[in-house]
């Protein structure tokens, strides 16, 4: 993976609108889908059209004759809810239990994550709801603007969960500042911290820990050490007790 | 719900969530929203009610894609388990819960389909009995009267009427993509049509559906 491979293609509204019917069906190739998703957060008119096609895609199954599931499958599902269901264990902290700084950080992280996955539909609402996040969100938006670049990190086996793969990307804004974003990890009632490192050959140098919150996502600013300005590899690992680190995501920085 | 055909074309600046919501009955959306609110608090009964409301349609959607009842049932069960584990993945600003859930269900079924690497494309194009795959077998007969269906307040009736209004080529390509879970290249091979033709047929088919169901207008012109 290289920075360039993730550089977003800029599209006009007409080019985006032409692709939205196929985008709603998940039929675009990765480059085109990324370009469409980069455009949508910045263009309310195209967002409106996108939602219409998504609504059509979501309604098409209603044309089918419903099929009653096996009652045993429902019973099994209800049993599975009892066995380690994170949702049931998640207790949202009361507002007063969270510092204003942390709330701002979580909101900003949510904003950048939503933008990163093409979900800019919500950014304006988030900002409106929390005026104090406006400045931070605007700053973070630099990392997912068309002038920014991103590098997708390869997910390792340990990042495959029941619901699919976790994902991680490193964003770089035009000023050269970098932000690591991880999402799709197991939700947790307590903040989980994953070590982040860079490597030259087999020598790994820790950069710090990325904090994963109750929504299974997290972000951190990344600065390479002065003596390793151009590392060969960037990685996110997982620590389980005294066991050796297990790699979750690896990014090849040599491209 | 009013018939989408009689509604004025939306302005480009119309709030995105509203344009997508008009396709689904407000009372259904309200029930789903209330149940999802309870799910986020760990209410298992609410998850069960959502399952009862939507699992039959999810299973009907997964069946033609996976073509395996057991696999489709597991797909639907996993879908709702994931919803239980990660209820915050749904954001009401993205539109109606039902539409969102169906998109997630379809993506999940297609992901599962593509993991079945041992199954070759021919397995999807030809049924277990050796008969050609006919996606129309999975659709409800639009009889008695498409016009009557189109005027119905029932979203399913309106979607069926809109599908029937497509040209045969558009409907065939679109249904293979949506209900068959095939890629555009696979559809082109299956139908022996150029890839560009298939893309155009799917795109124009979707535009026509959107015009009928959501009032979509591409600059006020007909693209066909």
């Amino acid at each position: 993976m290289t920075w360039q491979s993730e550089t977003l293609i800029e599209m006009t509204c007409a080019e985006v609108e032409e692709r939205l019917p196929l985008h709603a069906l998940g039929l675009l190739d990765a480059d085109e889908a990324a370009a469409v998703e980069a455009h949508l957060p910045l263009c309310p008119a195209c967002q409106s059209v996108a939602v219409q096609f998504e609504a059509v895609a979501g309604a098409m199954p209603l044309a089918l004759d419903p099929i009653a599931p096996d009652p045993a499958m429902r019973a099994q599902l209800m049993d599975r809810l009892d066995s380690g269901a994170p949702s049931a264990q998640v207790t949202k902290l009361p507002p007063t239990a969270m510092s204003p700084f942390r709330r701002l950080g979580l909101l900003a992280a949510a904003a950048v994550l939503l933008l990163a996955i093409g979900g800019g539909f919500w950014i304006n609402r988030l900002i409106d709801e929390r005026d104090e996040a406006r400045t931070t969100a605007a700053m973070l938006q630099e990392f997912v603007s068309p002038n920014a670049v991103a590098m997708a990190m390869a997910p390792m086996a340990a990042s495959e969960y029941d619901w699919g793969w976790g994902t991680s990307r490193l964003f770089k804004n035009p000023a050269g500042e970098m932000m690591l974003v991880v999402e799709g990890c197991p939700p947790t009632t307590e903040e989980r911290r994953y070590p982040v490192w860079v490597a030259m050959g087999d020598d790994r140098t820790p950069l710090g820990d990325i904090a994963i919150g109750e929504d299974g996502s997290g972000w951190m600013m990344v600065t390479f050490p002065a003596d390793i300005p151009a590392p060969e590899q960037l990685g996110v690992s997982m620590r389980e007790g005294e066991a050796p680190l297990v790699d979750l995501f690896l990014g090849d920085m040599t491209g | 719900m009013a018939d989408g055909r009689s509604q004025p074309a939306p302005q480009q600046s119309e709030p995105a969530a509203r344009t997508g919501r008009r396709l689904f009955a407000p009372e259904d959306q309200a029930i789903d929203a209330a149940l999802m609110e309870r799910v986020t608090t760990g209410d298992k009964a609410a998850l069960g009610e959502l399952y009862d409301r939507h699992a039959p349609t999810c299973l009907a959607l997964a069946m033609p894609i996976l073509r395996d009842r057991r696999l489709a049932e597991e797909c639907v069960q996993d879908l709702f388990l994931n919803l239980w584990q990660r209820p915050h993945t749904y954001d009401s600003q993205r539109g109606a819960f039902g539409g969102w859930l169906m998109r997630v269900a379809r993506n999940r079924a297609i992901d599962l389909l593509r993991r079945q690497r041992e199954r070759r494309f021919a397995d999807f194009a030809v049924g277990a009995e050796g008969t050609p795959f006919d996606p129309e077998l999975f659709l409800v007969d639009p009889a008695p009267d498409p016009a009557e269906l189109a005027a119905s307040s029932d979203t399913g009736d309106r979607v069926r009427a809109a599908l029937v209004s497509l040209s045969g080529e558009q409907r065939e390509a679109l249904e293979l993509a949506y209900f068959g879970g095939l890629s555009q290249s696979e559809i082109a091979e299956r139908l022996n049509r150029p890839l560009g033709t298939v893309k155009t047929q799917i795109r124009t088919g979707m535009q026509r559906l959107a015009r009928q169901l959501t009032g979509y207008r591409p600059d006020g012109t007909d693209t066909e």
Side-chain angles (χ1 to χ4, degrees), chain B residues 105-123:
Chain B
R106 177 173 174 267
N107 290 340
R108 195 171 193 87
I110 290 174
D111 285 346
L112 201 54
L113 173 73
R114 292 177 178 163
R115 288 188 187 186
Q116 311 300 307
R117 294 300 184 193
E118 71 276 14
R119 297 180 67 187
R120 297 174 301 139
F121 168 63
D123 295 328

Side-chain angles (χ1 to χ4, degrees), chain A residues 7-21:
Chain A
T7 301
L8 300 173
I9 305 165
E10 288 194 58
M11 285 186 180
T12 65
C13 288
E15 290 170 331
V16 168
E17 186 167 347
E18 182 185 0
R19 288 165 174 79
L20 287 176

